[in-house]
């Protein structure tokens, strides 16, 4: 769907026509769901939050003035809903000392992962992502998986562009460190 | 900071399968939009209940304040109700007076509490209905 078509659909919805909203939901449902599930880690809860995200977006559509992409605006609602749902839970997240993360070789980890088969590679990546905290999971997924720009990620997470860059740099190192641990556990 | 554009990670992430929503997802969303009152989510319902509790606190504050303004001696004269009800009203006024004294003593706290409960309750109820 072209950007202009999407804007036309949004105008139709704002005018009170519900039907085009189905097209919008179908286009973004999986992307929204994928952001939320990374944060809440529960399929059923993620689906309910994703539905609520679209309901909130529908009722707040008049506040969307086109300053940013519609997807960025929608992801922000999804991110905020998921983070506030997560705030009530007590999550156990592994904190790693910055000095440990700094002093190990990424090239070595890349080389070791390359040796494993695809299934194992994805298993290592998934387990490592699950050990990141919700904020880190969102940023890394948006950047590497959904290939959002740093500016859009900054808008979604309400962080500054430089802060997102610093966080991404740190998360990348942390992710490699966690993958390295996974490799050692699996004896590759 | 350029190394954040890590092609190895991007490639690995690209191979990750996407999680999919259930088949009737769009139907459920539209259902929530078209029949909002029956589909208020648990979180919104909790927010709404919290709003009503705050509103009830505000009403209690208001009743206590108004009762404290009534002179006790005149209650017997103006009231045509039975003695039990009359005594109940008197004790309620006395209780209100004690609370009123407490509020006067801690007036800053009580004013903050009062305004907080009014603003919060209306804000939450309005927000809940808007979102629902």
């Amino acid at each position: 769907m072209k950007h202009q078509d999407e804007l036309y659909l949004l105008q139709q919805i704002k005018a009170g026509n519900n039907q085009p909203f189905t097209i919008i939901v179908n286009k973004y449902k999986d992307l929204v769901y994928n952001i939320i599930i990374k944060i809440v880690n529960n399929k059923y809860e993620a689906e309910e939050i994703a539905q609520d995200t679209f309901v909130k977006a529908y009722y707040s559509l008049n506040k969307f003035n086109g300053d940013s992409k519609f997807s960025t605006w929608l992801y922000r609602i999804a991110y905020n809903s998921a983070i506030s749902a997560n705030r009530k839970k007590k999550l156990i997240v592994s904190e790693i000392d910055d000095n440990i993360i700094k002093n190990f070789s990424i090239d070595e980890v890349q080389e070791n992962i390359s040796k494993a088969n695809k299934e194992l590679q994805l298993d290592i990546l998934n387990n490592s992502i699950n050990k990141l905290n919700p904020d880190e999971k969102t940023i890394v997924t948006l950047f590497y998986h959904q290939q959002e720009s740093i500016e859009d990620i900054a808008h979604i997470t309400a962080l500054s562009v430089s802060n997102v860059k610093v966080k991404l740099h740190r998360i990348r190192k942390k992710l490699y460190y966690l993958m390295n641990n996974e490799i050692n556990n699996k004896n590759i | 900071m350029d190394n954040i554009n890590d092609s190895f990670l991007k490639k690995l992430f690209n191979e990750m399968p996407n999680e999919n929503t259930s088949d009737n997802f769009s139907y459920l969303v539209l259902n929530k939009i078209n029949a909002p009152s029956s589909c208020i989510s648990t979180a919104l319902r909790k927010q709404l209940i919290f709003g009503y509790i705050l509103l009830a606190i505000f009403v209690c504050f208001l009743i206590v304040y108004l009762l404290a303004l009534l002179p006790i001696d005149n209650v017997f004269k103006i009231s045509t109700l039975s003695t039990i009800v009359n005594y109940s009203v008197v004790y309620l006024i006395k209780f209100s007076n004690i609370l009123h004294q407490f509020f006067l003593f801690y007036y800053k706290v009580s004013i903050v509490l009062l305004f907080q409960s009014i603003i919060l309750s209306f804000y939450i109820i309005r927000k809940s209905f808007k979102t629902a």
Side-chain angles (χ1 to χ4, degrees):
Chain A
M1 194 198 304
K2 285 178 192 170
H3 180 64
Q4 290 301 322
D5 295 339
E6 191 173 276
L7 285 178
Y8 174 74
L9 287 180
L10 292 173
Q11 275 174 353
Q12 290 278 306
I13 300 161
K14 278 183 189 178
N17 183 5
N18 274 2
Q19 286 313 308
F21 198 63
T22 317
I23 304 168
I24 300 287
V25 173
N26 283 333
K27 185 181 175 188
Y28 292 109
K29 61 179 185 179
D30 289 336
L31 294 168
V32 164
Y33 178 69
N34 272 283
I35 292 175
I36 296 168
I37 201 163
K38 289 276 182 302
I39 300 172
V40 297
N41 251 344
N42 179 311
K43 279 188 174 185
Y44 299 104
E45 196 184 356
E47 184 137 340
E48 172 139 3
I49 297 169
Q51 286 168 13
D52 283 349
T53 299
F54 283 104
V55 176
K56 279 179 194 169
Y58 177 83
Y59 284 106
S60 318
L61 211 55
N62 285 329
K63 289 178 193 164
F64 174 67
N65 48 17
D67 284 350
S68 62
K69 283 190 286 180
F70 177 73
S71 58
T72 310
W73 182 76
L74 189 65
Y75 293 163
R76 187 168 183 168
I77 299 176
Y79 172 78
N80 286 337
S81 306
I83 288 288
S84 64
N86 229 22
R87 219 167 269 152
K88 290 157 195 164
K89 298 179 197 163
K90 283 185 178 173
L91 294 173
I92 303 158
V93 180
S94 56
E95 285 302 324
I96 303 160
D97 190 353
D98 277 349
N99 288 328
I100 300 170
I101 296 172
K102 273 181 200 167
N103 302 322
F104 87 103
S105 161
I106 283 176
D107 297 337
E108 202 181 305
V109 184
Q110 285 183 348
E111 204 182 307
N112 287 338
I113 295 174
S114 305
K115 286 177 195 166
N117 61 39
K118 241 178 210 172
E119 206 175 304
L120 193 59
Q121 283 182 358
L122 293 179
D123 190 40
I124 290 167
L125 182 65
N126 248 331
N127 289 345
S128 308
I129 292 172
N130 283 337
K131 284 174 187 159
L132 296 173
N133 69 42
D135 269 345
E136 293 172 337
K137 278 182 201 172
T138 315
I139 293 173
V140 88
T141 310
L142 285 170
F143 189 72
Y144 290 113
H145 193 225
Q146 313 219 359
Q147 311 209 332
E148 293 287 330
S149 68
I150 288 180
E151 286 75 19
D152 284 344
I153 297 173
H155 191 78
I156 294 165
T157 54
L159 295 167
S160 67
V161 170
S162 55
N163 202 349
V164 172
K165 282 184 187 173
V166 171
K167 275 185 179 263
L168 262 173
H169 179 71
R170 195 183 172 278
I171 298 164
R172 175 178 166 267
K173 280 243 172 191
K174 188 175 174 181
L175 196 58
Y176 273 113
Y177 174 80
L178 292 167
M179 287 199 286
N180 190 45
N181 287 352
E182 282 288 320
I183 292 167
N184 290 339
N185 289 342
K186 291 185 192 299
N187 292 322
I188 296 168
Chain B
M1 213 60 77
D2 288 333
N3 55 6
I4 53 173
N5 286 310
D6 187 322
S7 55
F8 181 79
L9 269 186
K10 273 188 180 165
K11 199 181 156 208
L12 214 55
F13 268 90
N14 270 342
E15 282 163 8
M16 266 174 81
N18 259 327
E19 300 267 2
N20 293 322
T21 50
S22 59
D23 294 338
N24 58 351
F25 185 88
S26 317
Y27 169 77
L28 290 171
V29 171
L30 283 181
N31 225 15
K32 280 191 178 186
I33 289 168
N34 293 328
S37 55
S38 58
C39 298
I40 300 173
S41 69
T42 324
L44 280 177
R45 190 167 288 130
K46 277 182 190 167
Q47 212 177 39
L48 197 63
I49 291 167
F50 183 60
Y52 280 129
I53 291 169
L54 283 176
L55 192 66
I57 293 170
F58 161 64
V59 171
C60 289
F61 269 122
L62 207 67
I63 291 168
V64 164
Y65 265 80
L66 289 175
L67 282 175
L69 296 175
L70 281 176
I72 298 173
D73 298 341
N74 291 339
V75 174
F76 286 103
K77 290 172 195 167
I78 56 168
S79 174
T80 53
L81 299 166
S82 71
T83 324
I84 299 167
V85 175
N86 237 329
Y87 273 110
S88 310
V89 172
V90 169
Y91 280 109
L92 198 62
I93 293 169
K94 277 185 179 173
F95 175 67
S96 300
N97 268 307
I98 297 165
L99 275 181
H100 190 68
Q101 291 305 317
F102 173 81
F103 292 146
L104 282 179
F105 192 70
Y106 295 106
Y107 71 98
K108 279 181 187 169
V109 181
S110 53
I111 287 170
V112 168
L113 269 174
L114 182 71
F115 278 101
Q116 205 180 33
S117 61
I118 299 168
I119 294 163
L120 264 175
S121 59
F122 280 109
Y123 171 74
I124 289 170
I125 290 168
R126 190 174 157 266
K127 197 181 157 201
S128 306
F129 273 116
K130 228 176 158 184
T131 327

